[in-house]
Amino acid sequence: MIPRAAKTQRRTRIQEEKEEKILEAALDVFSAYGFRGATIDQIAEAAGMSKPNLLYYFRTKEAIHRTLLDRMLFTWLEPLRAFDAAGNPESEIRSYIRRKLEMSRDFPRESRLFANEILQGAPHIEDELKGPLKELVDEKAQVIRAWIKAGKIAKCDPYHLIFSIWATTQHYADFDVQVQAVLGDKSGEGRFEDAARHLEELFLRGLKVEKPSL
Amino acid sequence: MIPRAAKTQRRTRIQEEKEEKILEAALDVFSAYGFRGATIDQIAEAAGMSKPNLLYYFRTKEAIHRTLLDRMLFTWLEPLRAFDAAGNPESEIRSYIRRKLEMSRDFPRESRLFANEILQGAPHIEDELKGPLKELVDEKAQVIRAWIKAGKIAKCDPYHLIFSIWATTQHYADFDVQVQAVLGDKSGEGRFEDAARHLEELFLRGLKVEKPSL
DNA sequence: TGATAAATTGACCGATTGGTAAAAGCTTAC
DNA sequence: GTAAGCTTTTACCAATCGGTCAATTTATCA
């Protein structure tokens, strides 16, 4: 009878399965229509259950949304967290770009969920942006700044550099329809590699110090 | 009595004014919530008129949305149209970036309207993307390819280069909340110039031929 | 097995959705 | 002024919204 936070504190197998199914369906709907555009009925149907049954596991529409966002935010920042100050600048930037691009390829719905949220003013995650996200970016910006001062990469604004990497990589998930429309349906397979090669070259050439070793 | 396409074929002064006011309000709402998330009541209130009055000028919610998209799509592509094959590659790319960035600064709502539409699968403008947009991009990609062949800029994929410019410039409109959260509310004025300088340097350095004039 | 708790459902709620009908108010040209 | 057409409003509609309730079915475990 007690849906969330059961007495035993341990979640049932059924609970686990159904909640997963709901979140899976909700990710489809929220990422496609945004928070306000999504409806509980739609999510319930996609999850293959009745609306009251869905609301037995998540008390409100917002609860589902929040759970999805929380989950996503953590993994979303993982590539940036992996950004290593001790590593080689070129390979660090290269692998960061690649990791972010892989996420766009493998988790496009998560990317769109996030994009929808930001686009609509980030009403549910403003604190996370101004807190944990900002702190992490500040930290990594310092790393980049150190590389610049050490003459390892060309001078540039670290924050805007990070923004550029975010923008270009996430573009392939968020604006996929447009990318496909422009490129035509040809080259469905090689598309990811083409984008990866292009971005790596663009950023690494753009950051190479003027006179490498002369 | 006949709202749209009046007998006289000429639109009244009042019609002109009210339609403009509706579109202005609708741009606010659609860009903030997406098509499904927006409501006619909300638009009507923002436009300072009753819902039936609004529906006297635009028969459906979709009609408003379509009008906004049609208007926007044309001006949105203007910078790319201005991309001149006869011009100097460096200055053409530089001014294209700047123009796109100016649009993000001056018309953020239009950018978000477009972003929302694409994010949600471009259900209303798929044809425009696969038609006019694709053709225009194909044309300009040829220009870039010619520049590459002539050795004027470094080798790169012209399509992905255009995507990168779109992504990075529109990022400042679409993800403004995130940008502000990360940068803090400091430097509100210089932000645009910082971004412009960063993007110009990134792309121009990234496209410079290896051995400029040796 | 039976009892107890968990899971599921149909019926329903008030509020809001996109949109309509019709009549009243307002402009404008003659 | 007045008649015709343009504009605006009040009242309303069926459908859908997020969510509740009580009752029923199903799983769990002693």
Side-chain angles (χ1 to χ4, degrees):
Chain A
M1 229 216 230
I2 299 160
R4 323 240 56 233
K7 272 185 196 168
T8 53
Q9 207 68 356
R10 271 239 316 270
R11 284 153 74 243
T12 318
R13 174 185 52 88
I14 294 183
Q15 265 179 40
E16 208 124 6
E17 285 176 10
K18 290 295 169 79
E19 286 181 9
E20 212 48 49
K21 206 164 186 182
I22 291 168
L23 290 172
E24 170 68 20
L27 183 55
D28 269 343
V29 179
F30 280 129
S31 68
Y33 299 107
F35 180 74
R36 288 186 43 165
T39 73
I40 297 184
D41 299 78
Q42 209 177 347
I43 297 170
E45 196 195 332
M49 64 183 72
S50 65
K51 181 166 61 169
N53 195 14
L54 181 149
L55 287 165
Y56 169 74
Y57 292 103
F58 293 90
R59 270 199 283 264
T60 64
K61 177 181 170 182
E62 205 163 338
I64 311 173
H65 192 243
R66 173 158 303 259
T67 304
L68 278 177
L69 278 179
D70 284 348
R71 274 197 185 193
M72 193 259 304
L73 268 179
F74 184 84
T75 56
W76 207 242
L77 289 175
E78 200 136 294
L80 187 55
R81 243 181 258 116
F83 205 86
D84 186 9
N88 172 266
E90 185 175 318
S91 68
E92 283 302 313
I93 290 171
R94 185 193 302 276
S95 66
Y96 179 55
I97 291 170
R98 187 160 277 265
R99 251 186 281 246
K100 284 292 286 179
L101 200 55
E102 281 168 356
M103 294 195 71
S104 278
R105 179 194 56 186
D106 299 333
F107 307 103
R109 295 176 306 170
E110 283 82 352
S111 184
R112 282 194 273 263
L113 178 76
F114 183 69
N116 260 309
E117 175 67 12
I118 301 290
L119 204 54
Q120 314 200 347
H124 307 97
I125 57 168
E126 222 196 331
D127 294 343
E128 277 86 348
L129 297 185
K130 291 185 175 174
L133 174 68
K134 177 174 165 43
E135 282 162 32
L136 183 60
V137 175
D138 281 341
E139 179 196 326
K140 300 307 181 182
Q142 277 306 108
V143 171
I144 294 171
R145 214 186 297 276
W147 286 343
I148 294 172
K149 277 201 175 129
K152 290 179 178 170
I153 60 173
K155 200 175 152 226
C156 77
D157 185 314
Y159 290 95
H160 290 285
L161 173 61
I162 292 173
F163 292 155
S164 292
I165 296 176
W166 285 350
T168 48
T169 53
Q170 293 177 9
H171 188 81
Y172 290 97
D174 304 341
F175 286 70
D176 178 57
V177 184
Q178 185 181 240
V179 170
Q180 283 203 29
V182 168
L183 292 185
D185 292 329
K186 67 190 173 195
S187 75
E189 258 319 298
R191 184 127 67 226
F192 172 80
E193 277 307 326
D194 288 349
R197 201 175 309 116
H198 163 77
L199 291 180
E200 285 176 13
E201 275 176 23
L202 175 69
F203 282 100
L204 292 180
R205 290 177 55 101
L207 292 174
K208 198 177 284 180
V209 285
E210 290 283 349
K211 277 134 192 168
S213 50
L214 296 183
Chain B
M1 231 213 226
I2 299 159
R4 325 238 58 233
K7 274 184 192 169
T8 52
Q9 207 70 358
R10 270 237 316 270
R11 282 152 77 241
T12 317
R13 173 185 52 87
I14 293 183
Q15 265 179 38
E16 207 124 3
E17 284 175 9
K18 291 295 170 78
E19 286 181 9
E20 211 49 48
K21 206 164 187 182
I22 291 168
L23 290 173
E24 171 68 22
L27 184 54
D28 269 343
V29 180
F30 280 129
S31 68
Y33 299 107
F35 180 73
R36 286 186 43 165
T39 72
I40 297 184
D41 299 77
Q42 210 177 347
I43 297 170
E45 196 194 333
M49 65 181 73
S50 65
K51 181 167 61 173
N53 195 189
L54 182 150
L55 287 165
Y56 168 73
Y57 293 102
F58 293 90
R59 271 198 282 259
T60 63
K61 178 181 170 181
E62 204 163 338
I64 312 174
H65 192 244
R66 174 159 302 261
T67 304
L68 278 177
L69 278 179
D70 284 348
R71 275 197 185 191
M72 191 260 302
L73 268 178
F74 185 83
T75 57
W76 207 243
L77 288 175
E78 200 138 293
L80 188 54
R81 245 180 258 115
F83 206 87
D84 186 10
N88 171 267
E90 185 175 316
S91 68
E92 283 302 314
I93 290 170
R94 184 192 302 275
S95 65
Y96 179 55
I97 291 170
R98 186 160 276 266
R99 250 187 282 246
K100 285 292 285 179
L101 200 56
E102 282 168 356
M103 294 195 72
S104 278
R105 179 193 57 186
D106 299 334
F107 307 104
R109 295 177 304 170
E110 283 82 351
S111 184
R112 282 195 272 263
L113 178 76
F114 184 69
N116 259 309
E117 175 68 12
I118 301 290
L119 246 177
Q120 314 200 347
H124 307 96
I125 56 168
E126 223 196 331
D127 293 343
E128 278 87 348
L129 296 186
K130 291 187 175 173
L133 174 69
K134 177 172 165 42
E135 284 162 30
L136 182 60
V137 175
D138 281 342
E139 179 196 326
K140 299 305 180 182
Q142 276 306 106
V143 171
I144 294 172
R145 214 187 297 275
W147 286 343
I148 295 171
K149 278 203 175 129
K152 290 179 179 173
I153 60 173
K155 200 174 153 225
C156 79
D157 184 315
Y159 289 95
H160 290 285
L161 173 61
I162 292 173
F163 293 155
S164 292
I165 296 176
W166 285 352
T168 49
T169 54
Q170 293 176 8
H171 188 80
Y172 290 98
D174 304 341
F175 285 69
D176 179 57
V177 185
Q178 186 180 240
V179 170
Q180 283 203 30
V182 168
L183 292 185
D185 292 331
K186 69 191 173 195
S187 74
E189 257 319 299
R191 184 126 67 226
F192 172 79
E193 277 307 325
D194 288 349
R197 201 175 310 116
H198 163 77
L199 291 181
E200 286 176 11
E201 275 175 24
L202 175 69
F203 282 101
L204 292 181
R205 289 177 53 101
L207 291 175
K208 197 177 283 179
V209 284
E210 291 283 350
K211 279 137 192 166
S213 49
L214 295 183

